[in-house]
Amino acid sequence: MNVLHGLSIDLEDWYQSTIDPSAELSARFEANTEKMLESFAARGVRATFFVLGLAAEKSPGIVRAVRDAGHEVQSHGYGHVEVFHLTREQFHQDLLRAKGLLEDLTGREIFGYRAPSFSLDHRTPWAWDVLAETGHRYDSSVFPIEMRRYGIADYPLEPRIVDTPEGRRIVEAPIAVFQFMGRRVPVGGGGYVRLWPYWILRNAWRQMERANRPGVLYMHPYEYDPGELKSYRGQVGWKTRLHQGLGRKKFPRKVDRLCGDFHFGPLCETLMPWLESLTIST
Ligand SMILES: [Zn+2]
């Protein structure tokens, strides 16, 4: 238990960010977030909440509740459009809109970012420059495995300072992976935590500890809600409901066990050594 791993939540509503951005927030959004906050409080663990601007605008009270519970609030952007579908200028606007909104709402500086669907990859070489340019000091959006929809194969596994193409500097904290039989296996959160048995997750985090490497875990409030997908029967296809709902029942318990077996905290603390050397060098 000598490594401080990063616990992170993308604070968004499942239906709004996955199916229809123009939809109202579901009533479940606040209830699920509260469930999560209760579970973290019972375990005595703090986390980073990457808040989606669109959700914060419609539910400012829950963002303040997250802040007041002692968690770190950072940005998940405004509109949940994948970065590789935006132009550089659109990304710039999205970041500033979310940062301004969240700073007004929390009274705190916003300097960390998580992209929707880990959409920072080889298609967005300008992304780190735009992030640094808009006042972000760290990012946690790289999925260091080549997946079907996202990811960068062979990206370094440990947090690092990125020297951007235009000469800026920013800390990148990639999502946790497990190295097994010469391959990288996704274990860092969401669907992967829902589907793997606990012993695989425990072995993965033990491996990171042996390598003295902090691992970033990510999740969403809706993963604490096993009944949600049933309520969209008739509105959302069965394949999506099955895929998105699988393993939700056991999810909170797995996260709680990980937080008991390993030391987790907000990313601003996990990344302290890198953030400090960034400040010294700039
Ligand atoms: Zn998201």
Side-chain angles (χ1 to χ4, degrees):
M1 296 256 292
N2 52 0
V3 180
L4 180 62
H5 302 285
L7 182 61
S8 67
I9 295 89
D10 296 354
L11 194 64
E12 64 193 37
D13 180 53
W14 180 78
Y15 191 84
Q16 188 193 55
S17 60
T18 314
I19 307 290
D20 179 7
S22 66
E24 287 299 312
L25 281 181
S26 76
R28 293 169 175 270
F29 171 69
E30 292 194 358
N32 292 338
T33 308
E34 277 159 11
K35 225 187 280 177
M36 219 173 195
L37 289 175
E38 276 163 29
S39 155
F40 292 166
R43 173 57 71 188
V45 68
R46 287 178 305 117
T48 300
F49 283 71
F50 293 105
V51 181
L52 186 68
L54 201 56
E57 219 165 43
K58 294 186 177 169
S59 189
I62 202 76
V63 183
R64 289 195 196 102
V66 166
R67 176 202 62 189
D68 294 345
H71 300 288
E72 179 188 12
V73 173
Q74 297 291 3
S75 165
H76 192 35
Y78 180 81
H80 216 267
V81 180
E82 286 148 325
V83 181
F84 47 67
H85 287 140
L86 297 175
T87 64
R88 180 176 176 148
E89 187 48 38
Q90 286 170 328
F91 184 46
H92 194 275
Q93 292 307 325
D94 183 89
L95 287 176
L96 285 184
R97 190 170 181 188
K99 184 171 154 71
L101 196 150
L102 294 170
E103 285 180 348
D104 287 349
L105 213 154
T106 60
R108 303 241 173 102
E109 189 199 357
I110 298 296
F111 59 92
Y113 176 73
R114 155 89 34 83
S117 313
F118 313 107
S119 51
L120 251 63
D121 60 22
H122 58 274
R123 290 168 283 186
T124 57
W126 35 261
W128 286 279
D129 270 302
V130 181
L131 280 162
E133 204 171 75
T134 48
H136 296 84
R137 294 200 291 280
Y138 81 81
D139 174 68
S140 180
S141 306
V142 172
F143 205 93
I145 308 178
E146 181 99 58
M147 304 296 282
R148 192 168 54 84
R149 283 174 39 238
Y150 50 71
I152 305 179
D154 303 325
Y155 195 84
L157 298 183
E158 56 288 322
R160 60 197 288 259
I161 292 179
V162 177
D163 289 297
T164 70
E166 293 167 22
R168 297 181 180 89
R169 308 189 88 204
I170 183 168
V171 177
E172 175 62 46
I175 305 301
V177 300
F178 184 31
Q179 291 173 289
F180 184 70
M181 315 246 306
R183 301 181 72 117
R184 291 181 175 189
V185 178
V187 289
Y192 309 109
V193 168
R194 283 191 272 119
L195 297 179
W196 289 124
Y198 185 72
W199 64 269
I200 291 192
L201 301 172
R202 190 176 51 211
N203 281 350
W205 258 269
R206 278 185 183 152
Q207 183 186 69
M208 290 175 235
E209 297 233 324
R210 281 196 301 275
N212 202 22
R213 183 178 76 233
V216 175
L217 183 66
Y218 73 89
M219 65 197 85
H220 308 85
Y222 49 77
E223 278 160 322
Y224 277 55
D225 185 356
E228 179 177 41
L229 276 301
K230 266 191 220 128
S231 73
Y232 291 119
R233 210 177 269 162
Q235 261 173 292
V236 176
W238 69 269
K239 269 192 196 161
T240 306
R241 282 190 283 118
L242 182 73
H243 173 250
Q244 296 281 318
L246 222 56
R248 282 193 186 186
K249 218 179 211 159
K250 290 184 179 165
F251 187 87
R253 172 87 186 109
K254 282 185 193 166
V255 171
D256 189 56
R257 278 186 80 179
L258 273 175
C259 290
D261 288 344
F262 302 94
H263 190 191
F264 278 90
L267 267 76
C268 62
E269 291 179 16
T270 298
L271 299 175
M272 191 66 88
W274 291 273
L275 289 168
E276 276 174 356
S277 59
L278 191 74
T279 315
I280 292 163
S281 64
T282 46

